[in-house]
Amino acid sequence: MSSQKNEKMEAIISLAKRRGFIYPGSDVYGGLSGTWDYGPLGVTLKRKIMQLWWQHFVESRDDMYGVDAAILMNQKVWQASGHVDTFADPLVEDLKTGERLRADHLLEDAGYDVEGQTMAQLDELIKQHGIKSPSGNELSSVRTFNMMFSTTVGPVADDKSVSYLRPETAQGIFTNYKNIVDNFYPNLPFGLAQQGKAFRNEISPRDFIFRSREFEQMEIEYFVRPDNWQESFDALLKDIYDYLEALGLPSDKIHELDVPEADRAHYSEKTIDLEYDYPIGRKELLGLAYRTDFDLKNIQNASSKTMEYMVKGTNERFIPHVIEPSFGVERVLMAVMENAYWFDEANDRIVMKFPENIAPVKYAVSPLLKNKPELVAKAREVYAALKKKYGNVMWDDNGNIGKRYRRQDEIGTPQCVVIDFETIEGDGTVTVRDRDTTEQKRVKLDELI
Ligand code: GAP
């Protein structure tokens, strides 16, 4: 990672905090590693990204059904899905400080390729290359660490009451597959979609919101005929690109990785990861996996309830196979912020060039001078009308007009509307200043509102 790229990441993290997008979680108490809180602008941006996804993958299609399952689920879900046994990362400990670290990350940071390596091979590599902890101390052997957060449900804490904070939203979809089939009789192929929180006790959360312990996913389980999976896989991949384009992410920053078998999740027969050129390097943005009938078969075996789909008007029955697009909201958000960030050298300013459809603030409205009641009154009127129409409109009368423009540029507000004497005494026009070009136009109020 070049220092220039590090600088960009640092600048984005600093702007995110300074302008009310994203704060470190529990900051006032010294923080809680791997957690982040969203401020007014961050929550709006995140919701817009999630709403656009819902609109794109659910509302605009007639083969998708939305669900919103509970985060806490019966422990049998995670036994049947394989998460209790296999949802683990390679852990090493600093033998002096006890610090826990990810073996693969230490090797990667030292410049070694760890793709497809087993735990034993990682252990071998650590020893072979004499890898030390960041404090320069010897490391323990590599062992597996299950990433699920466990808890107990109800007043008695015993083996039977153990549950987990879900590490993926997918299982809440699979467990509702039968409900939807019985209630809605969908034709194959069809999909169930869910957005919501997921939790992973990451050994070393890092890189801002990229690897957190609490994050959000947007997932689809798309049920298909077993012999038809490739067609749906390709169609969903195209839909994913369309969604990323609607977010303004350029295709030359997105790269496909056909994940080798050794690196695929235990349930996947094929996975394509879409990687993005983040300031921290090229990293996984989202995944598209062919999960076969792995999950429905396991649910059928563990629950003794049939997961078979019966083709309407025939006696044909089978367990559908599944294609799964899985998005991490924070990774999409981080890509959107990376792509929006622009240091405009000519004007010595930072600009977040968010596309208009997801910009957290659409218009900022100000009176040119805040000590002129007639300007303030008119500006309030314009603000109220725009707010009623668009919702995400900001009142901004702090500092002089130049400072306001700088602030709104950093927030990514596409247009600032300024009410001056010409508005009230002249032709009823306002100044509309463009974020990207800094050009100012006079626009008739009627046209604007
Ligand atoms: N249901 C499949 C599944 O969960 P995954 O590759 O483990 O697959 C899917 O996760 C997506 O969730 C990733 O592509 C990434 O965008 C996001 N994700 C995973 N772990 C994350 C973490 N610790 N912090 C932020 N996002 C994460």
Side-chain angles (χ1 to χ4, degrees):
M1 198 191 327
S2 74
S3 65
Q4 199 190 355
K5 283 183 169 174
N6 263 323
E7 268 172 34
K8 185 168 187 188
M9 195 68 248
E10 291 308 317
I12 292 172
I13 296 171
S14 155
L15 181 141
K17 192 170 178 188
R18 186 170 75 245
R19 292 293 172 217
F21 284 87
I22 303 169
Y23 309 110
S26 314
D27 206 15
V28 71
Y29 289 112
L32 179 67
S33 173
T35 65
W36 297 91
D37 295 342
Y38 285 77
L41 297 170
V43 73
T44 308
L45 180 59
K46 187 167 150 182
R47 289 214 173 140
K48 281 180 176 285
I49 288 170
M50 294 175 79
Q51 276 160 3
L52 191 65
W53 186 93
W54 196 259
Q55 210 182 341
H56 184 85
F57 287 104
V58 184
E59 287 176 355
S60 70
R61 304 173 59 129
D62 49 20
D63 59 347
M64 291 282 187
Y65 299 79
V67 294
D68 187 10
I71 288 176
L72 291 173
M73 302 177 81
N74 191 311
Q75 57 173 260
K76 288 181 187 158
V77 169
W78 306 109
Q79 287 155 3
S81 68
H83 283 80
V84 171
D85 290 334
T86 60
F87 195 60
D89 271 344
L91 172 95
V92 281
E93 262 177 74
D94 178 317
L95 289 175
K96 213 166 192 179
T97 63
E99 189 186 2
R100 295 180 152 200
L101 302 150
R102 252 181 84 162
D104 51 342
H105 286 173
L106 286 177
L107 282 159
E108 270 170 0
D109 291 349
Y112 298 103
D113 182 11
V114 293
E115 247 182 54
Q117 302 290 315
T118 62
M119 296 278 171
Q121 287 165 331
L122 290 173
D123 193 47
E124 188 62 36
L125 283 173
I126 293 254
K127 291 196 172 105
Q128 188 185 330
H129 298 296
I131 304 290
K132 301 265 186 323
S133 76
S135 322
N137 301 321
E138 294 294 325
L139 295 167
S140 68
S141 297
V142 178
R143 63 186 168 88
T144 55
F145 173 77
N146 192 297
M147 287 195 287
M148 285 200 293
F149 282 101
S150 63
T151 184
T152 52
V153 179
V156 183
D158 61 12
D159 286 355
K160 281 192 215 131
S161 64
V162 169
S163 183
Y164 304 91
L165 298 186
R166 66 181 178 203
E168 60 169 14
T169 59
Q171 294 305 321
I173 299 180
F174 286 120
T175 46
N176 279 292
Y177 152 83
K178 196 76 184 125
N179 288 335
I180 306 302
V181 168
D182 291 349
N183 292 161
F184 295 90
Y185 316 107
N187 289 319
L188 284 176
F190 70 93
L192 306 187
Q194 173 164 231
Q195 299 183 330
K197 291 268 186 180
F199 304 83
R200 296 183 187 181
N201 197 3
E202 296 283 352
I203 296 168
S204 49
R206 58 183 192 173
D207 297 327
F208 191 35
I209 53 174
F210 182 85
R211 190 174 303 285
S212 321
R213 290 186 167 134
E214 177 177 340
F215 56 99
E216 294 209 54
Q217 289 187 318
M218 309 186 280
E219 297 199 294
I220 294 166
E221 306 307 326
Y222 198 70
F223 300 93
V224 300
R225 280 181 168 275
D227 53 359
N228 235 359
W229 71 269
Q230 185 75 55
E231 199 180 303
S232 294
F233 192 96
D234 295 344
L236 283 166
L237 185 58
K238 187 187 166 299
D239 289 342
I240 290 171
Y241 277 113
D242 290 347
Y243 169 67
L244 298 178
E245 193 184 331
L247 291 172
L249 297 178
S251 56
D252 61 354
K253 288 186 184 173
I254 299 165
H255 310 274
E256 281 180 25
L257 173 74
D258 198 342
V259 182
E261 191 180 348
D263 286 341
R264 287 201 295 264
H266 58 280
Y267 48 72
S268 172
E269 200 152 291
K270 180 176 176 73
T271 298
I272 289 196
D273 280 348
L274 291 194
E275 298 186 319
Y276 184 82
D277 290 328
Y278 292 103
I280 51 169
R282 186 175 291 180
K283 304 259 179 197
E284 179 185 337
L285 168 67
L286 60 94
L288 178 66
Y290 171 38
R291 285 181 87 127
T292 68
D293 56 358
F294 177 88
D295 301 270
L296 290 184
K297 228 182 199 166
N298 285 341
I299 294 174
Q300 178 166 287
N301 291 340
S303 68
S304 306
K305 300 211 172 74
T306 178
M307 292 294 129
E308 281 182 342
Y309 177 89
M310 192 158 138
V311 180
K312 275 177 217 164
T314 73
N315 281 329
E316 192 188 359
R317 291 166 174 271
F318 55 89
I319 296 185
H321 281 212
V322 170
I323 313 295
E324 179 196 64
S326 177
F327 296 69
V329 177
E330 284 73 8
R331 300 224 180 150
V332 176
L333 182 70
M334 198 162 131
V336 164
M337 291 192 83
E338 184 286 330
N339 191 48
Y341 185 92
W342 173 45
F343 182 66
D344 174 10
E345 277 177 34
N347 294 297
D348 189 28
R349 60 181 188 140
I350 295 171
V351 187
M352 292 302 276
K353 281 174 109 175
F354 294 123
E356 277 207 45
N357 57 338
I358 54 167
V361 177
K362 187 172 173 65
Y363 290 112
V365 181
S366 338
L368 180 64
L369 301 167
K370 125 184 196 186
N371 58 357
K372 297 285 173 201
E374 61 275 40
L375 292 186
V376 174
K378 188 68 188 170
R380 281 279 174 201
E381 212 180 279
V382 174
Y383 167 73
L386 287 173
K387 188 140 187 83
K388 191 167 172 204
K389 188 162 178 192
Y390 298 109
N392 56 335
V393 176
M394 188 185 265
W395 174 261
D396 189 358
D397 62 2
N398 272 332
N400 64 34
I401 196 73
K403 282 200 178 128
R404 287 178 219 162
Y405 287 155
R406 289 286 180 276
R407 179 166 47 245
Q408 293 302 329
D409 289 342
E410 291 199 358
I411 288 171
T413 308
Q415 290 180 319
C416 291
V417 177
V418 180
I419 282 67
D420 54 24
F421 289 106
E422 229 179 302
T423 318
I424 48 178
E425 290 165 4
D427 56 3
T429 58
V430 293
T431 301
V432 176
R433 184 262 192 184
D434 183 84
R435 173 193 69 194
D436 301 344
T437 60
T438 73
E439 264 172 31
Q440 303 188 10
K441 283 189 303 196
R442 300 292 308 180
V443 176
K444 277 212 164 298
L445 253 184
D446 311 349
E447 277 169 35
L448 191 72
I449 298 168

